[in-house]
Amino acid sequence: MMPQPPTDAALRALLDDCPVLKLILLDRDYGKPCPADRWAVKAAIDHLLKPAHEGMVLDLDVLEREDGAADDVLLIGVVELEKSLPKLIELLKSLSVPAGAILVHDGSTENLMPDLPARETLVRQMTDDMIQMLLSECMACAPSDWQAGKLTIQCDGNWLGYQLKNALSPNAAIISGPLRDLCEEIAVLMWKNGNQWREAVLQYEGKDFTIKFSYGEPLHPIPRTPVAAQAKPWWKFW
């Protein structure tokens, strides 16, 4: 019979007099490419440490700063600091916690993970990955006679439209669910991180491609259907 994991109370008792780490997430900097909220970070840490009886998140708090911002603070108890710390740092990096997050041994001021990438770097990396995924999905959606294609995405903050065309072929592409999702995801990621383009055009031939972002009103607006105009998808910005 498999041994049962300890209850939270038993694990807390085990952590008495053990090292405590303090994770400070500056100004609640959540949203793609980061976890959704502090509870997602807590769940990931507990999933890493609790099954092996190595530690757990002991408490969550909010730290008010003089400038009015509020930082989330997670207190993490660990049985063996040297064993748990490297795994915890790798986990936080994999969660894309951006630079500015601070992990300290409680009572100390030395940041134990100063080399986290900046949020701008994470957004750029995630955008590059999404562009490659868009290209692959465009090719998967295209009819067999297409050698090239043009994906257009338009967004005004309230509405998003997309179309995939090839002017040299009479055959139309059928936009798949994954391609539709990727169009929405890349628009949300970039808009919410400050790059509020109005039109993105991905042109490809084979595996070669270019992508251009325009910030003025599109010269050839994608027609809005009544459903698209009235519906309120998950990505709406208001």
Side-chain angles (χ1 to χ4, degrees), residues 141-235:
C141 292
S144 59
D145 66 319
W146 283 28
Q147 302 300 316
K150 181 171 77 170
L151 173 69
T152 303
I153 310 172
Q154 294 177 356
C155 182
D156 65 4
N158 295 327
W159 173 86
L160 186 143
Y162 28 77
Q163 60 186 16
L164 178 60
K165 291 190 172 183
N166 181 338
L168 300 179
S169 172
N171 298 316
I174 298 176
I175 292 184
S176 65
L179 181 56
R180 184 180 300 110
D181 291 344
L182 283 168
C183 290
E184 294 176 356
E185 287 174 13
I186 195 170
V188 170
L189 173 68
M190 298 181 74
W191 266 68
K192 288 192 173 181
N193 284 282
N195 190 349
Q196 298 185 352
W197 43 267
R198 294 297 308 279
E199 183 177 73
V201 177
L202 173 67
Q203 290 189 287
Y204 69 91
E205 184 172 358
K207 293 185 178 180
D208 296 326
F209 72 92
T210 61
I211 187 164
K212 179 181 179 182
F213 298 99
S214 303
Y215 298 87
E217 188 72 21
L219 295 178
H220 305 286
I222 295 173
R224 303 190 187 194
T225 65
V227 172
Q230 295 171 12
K232 185 177 179 181
W234 64 269
W235 50 264

Side-chain angles (χ1 to χ4, degrees), residues 95-162:
L95 292 176
S96 296
V97 175
I102 300 170
L103 181 67
V104 298
H105 193 184
D106 200 20
S108 171
T109 58
E110 179 188 359
N111 188 4
L112 300 174
M113 51 175 199
D115 58 341
L116 288 175
R119 185 181 184 91
E120 293 77 12
T121 300
L122 293 170
V123 172
R124 184 169 60 251
Q125 291 171 348
M126 195 169 191
T127 301
D128 290 344
D129 289 344
M130 282 188 176
I131 290 171
Q132 291 293 334
M133 294 168 67
L134 279 169
L135 176 61
S136 296
E137 195 60 32
C138 283
M139 295 171 68
C141 292
S144 59
D145 66 319
W146 283 28
Q147 302 300 316
K150 181 171 77 170
L151 173 69
T152 303
I153 310 172
Q154 294 177 356
C155 182
D156 65 4
N158 295 327
W159 173 86
L160 186 143
Y162 28 77

